[in-house]
Amino acid sequence: MITHPTYIYDIAAIREDFPILHQYHHDAVPLIYLDSAASSQKPYQVIEAIQHYYQTYNANVHRGIHKLSEEATQAYEGVRKKVRNFINAGSRREIIFTRGTTEGTNLVAQTWGRNFLKPGDVILSTVMEHHANIVPWQLLSEQIGVKVMYIPILPNGTLDLAAYERILRENPVKLVTVAHVSNVLGTINPVADMAVKAHDAGALILVDAAQSAPHLPLDVQAIDADFLVFSSHKMVGPTGIGVLYGKRDILEKMPPWMGGGDMIATVTLEGSTWNDLPYKFEAGTPSIAEAIGFGAAIDYLSAIGMDKIHAQEQQMTAYLLERLSEVPGVTVFGPEADKKSAVAAFVVEGAHAHDVAQLLDAEGIAVRAGHHCAMPLHTELGVSATSRASFYLYNTYDEVDVLIEALYTVQRTLR
Ligand code: C6P
């Protein structure tokens, strides 16, 4: 058995920040939370920032001239600046708050897609996408007759980049839309290289950063992403808030999506004109408390350092894959550790993924089972469901060891 690598940061101090991690599961066994790809846990700093807002300066933003509203507006707009720095965007006007990744892809499909594409134009997605990066394009296809194509994957769970170049050469591709990190395979896709190829072919690129923003440093200018979307709740922040980044010149040309308060400049009974970026895309009262919690989450991750979080997770991935390879009858999907984030979707020979998850739950281990909103990928892998253990900055090597022992227990129980 391999020994535990050393932690890159003070893991005990980090775990102290997450109150939920200190409870007993089913009142019997310590909780081991391995479902952060679905939603991460939240530290005190985030929980307290939300509570502080509600207790001391709760008010609507951009509307009042009273002190509370000004304070709330300042905090809300401050988070936009934090997001801008976090992903190295050129301007705060390029940061649109959404409800999450899903709303981001739908917004781009329904404004940019619906207005700038014509029948026969190609949207190029990939076989490994989450449904949030497939279905909006299929809906658009039904609405305006664009064609959706998919980059295939190789047997090792990476994208077939030769096929990517061929599809770009042979088809009128207008948008490449790709996950930075797969939520099932964990594959880290070479999005900066893919952006160069997309741009050479005259296409834009949208990066789904739902599974990368929590785990590695992001730089939208280095990637040269035209759009990039992610969710706060997977990066120690609250649910109900996320980001659509878009290059300013592209966003300027796009019409609004939803109409309502805050997104207008003028309204008459005959018609309306639109507010400046980013407000043009933020109709109605936004998720203010959630944004403030999101800001605290960005502060929390930045204080540790995204480079350290990524380096620690690379060690965790290598350890996890090595230990899983010791268990006979367990097959893990996805590439080798250096191309992968800390997520392992696996099947146990002779056992259904849901039974595995249920037995692991009895041992205190929370994993997800099913198709993980990536049905086409599971069809490609030839399985209807997988069990998925996904790790984050608060997980330990000891927890991997408990998972491995629990998998032996699962096998004995189901034998
Ligand atoms: N994946 C998972 O368990 P939302 O739900 O909008 O915050 O994120 C959608 C989404 C989009 N892209 C990727 C790559 C994702 O992983 C997700 C969310 C979760 O894998 C919940 S289905």
Side-chain angles (χ1 to χ4, degrees):
M1 198 178 94
I2 56 167
T3 52
H4 290 176
T6 12
Y7 291 96
I8 284 171
Y9 43 70
D10 184 349
I11 185 78
I14 300 249
R15 288 180 66 80
E16 275 306 306
D17 289 335
F18 289 81
I20 210 168
L21 299 179
H22 304 287
Q23 63 179 281
Y24 277 74
H25 207 42
H26 305 301
D27 292 329
V29 276
L31 168 68
I32 296 182
Y33 187 74
L34 301 183
D35 197 18
S36 295
S39 200
S40 71
Q41 297 303 347
K42 325 298 175 200
Y44 281 113
Q45 289 84 339
V46 168
I47 298 165
E48 283 166 7
I50 296 169
Q51 191 178 0
H52 180 65
Y53 160 72
Y54 278 131
Q55 282 182 344
T56 62
Y57 61 103
N58 172 50
N60 211 329
V61 292
H62 305 147
R63 285 155 172 85
I65 47 164
H66 55 82
K67 180 171 171 289
L68 290 189
S69 179
E70 274 173 13
E71 256 184 86
T73 302
Q74 218 170 19
Y76 180 78
E77 290 304 324
V79 178
R80 204 185 300 279
K81 285 193 199 122
K82 289 178 188 187
V83 173
R84 178 198 162 182
N85 292 338
F86 190 73
I87 63 171
N88 192 31
S91 158
R92 66 169 197 92
R93 294 188 183 278
E94 298 179 316
I95 308 299
I96 319 278
F97 286 127
T98 61
R99 279 190 304 126
T101 308
T102 304
E103 190 169 294
T105 49
N106 279 276
L107 192 159
V108 175
Q110 290 303 314
T111 62
W112 180 81
R114 228 174 155 141
N115 283 277
F116 296 110
L117 298 181
K118 55 181 192 317
D121 282 347
V122 170
I123 304 281
L124 181 55
S125 184
T126 89
V127 168
M128 67 169 76
E129 296 311 303
H130 185 279
H131 298 163
N133 201 17
I134 294 178
V135 183
W137 311 112
Q138 292 177 338
L139 287 171
L140 184 68
S141 171
E142 283 171 20
Q143 288 158 351
I144 65 165
V146 291
K147 188 173 167 193
V148 190
M149 295 179 74
Y150 303 95
I151 306 169
I153 55 169
L154 297 170
N156 73 351
T158 60
L159 287 177
D160 183 343
L161 295 172
Y164 172 49
E165 290 189 38
R166 195 173 56 248
I167 297 169
L168 281 178
R169 252 192 333 269
E170 294 173 358
N171 298 276
V173 177
K174 294 294 184 292
L175 179 75
V176 175
T177 184
V178 58
H180 195 177
V181 173
S182 157
N183 66 323
V184 177
L185 303 168
T187 315
I188 303 171
N189 288 318
V191 287
D193 291 347
M194 292 178 77
V196 172
K197 301 213 163 79
H199 292 148
D200 284 350
L204 301 186
I205 186 162
L206 183 154
V207 176
D208 172 354
Q211 299 290 353
S212 61
H215 301 283
L216 43 94
L218 270 186
D219 183 332
V220 287
Q221 298 191 66
I223 296 171
D224 200 13
D226 298 292
F227 300 108
L228 183 135
V229 290
F230 56 103
S231 306
S232 141
H233 71 95
K234 294 185 199 291
M235 44 194 296
V236 311
T239 51
I241 182 100
V243 171
L244 161 65
Y245 158 83
K247 280 185 186 160
R248 189 168 176 176
D249 57 327
I250 301 172
L251 292 175
E252 294 282 9
K253 288 185 203 124
M254 285 161 48
W257 182 25
M258 288 192 280
D262 228 19
M263 52 74 71
I264 50 83
T266 61
V267 180
T268 66
L269 294 182
E270 287 70 41
S272 308
T273 58
W274 314 135
N275 203 342
D276 292 332
L277 288 175
Y279 312 111
K280 180 171 79 172
F281 294 108
E282 292 181 7
T285 299
S287 301
I288 304 164
E290 291 75 5
I292 286 162
F294 185 24
I298 290 174
D299 288 344
Y300 187 84
L301 296 177
S302 305
I304 300 167
M306 291 308 295
D307 47 350
K308 286 197 179 141
I309 290 171
H310 182 48
Q312 172 58 31
E313 285 189 16
Q314 280 182 312
Q315 291 191 169
M316 180 59 87
T317 309
Y319 184 74
L320 171 69
L321 293 191
E322 176 71 28
R323 296 275 358 243
L324 280 170
S325 72
E326 293 167 10
V327 191
V330 169
T331 306
V332 182
F333 297 96
E336 53 271 43
D338 63 335
K339 295 189 181 64
K340 187 174 161 87
S341 73
V343 48
F346 58 91
V347 288
V348 178
E349 203 180 327
H352 194 279
H354 286 95
D355 294 336
V356 172
Q358 205 153 15
L359 288 168
L360 289 177
D361 183 60
E363 303 286 319
I365 304 172
V367 300
R368 187 176 169 187
H371 52 64
H372 316 297
C373 301
M375 283 176 91
L377 174 61
H378 280 74
T379 304
E380 187 71 20
L381 297 174
V383 290
S384 59
T386 52
S387 307
R388 184 187 67 181
S390 54
F391 290 72
Y392 203 14
L393 74 169
Y394 36 66
N395 289 117
T396 65
Y397 304 116
D398 289 323
E399 290 178 321
V400 176
D401 296 341
V402 177
L403 171 69
I404 301 300
E405 285 313 308
L407 284 173
Y408 286 115
T409 307
V410 167
Q411 286 180 324
R412 279 195 298 275
T413 310
L414 293 175
R415 196 170 291 146

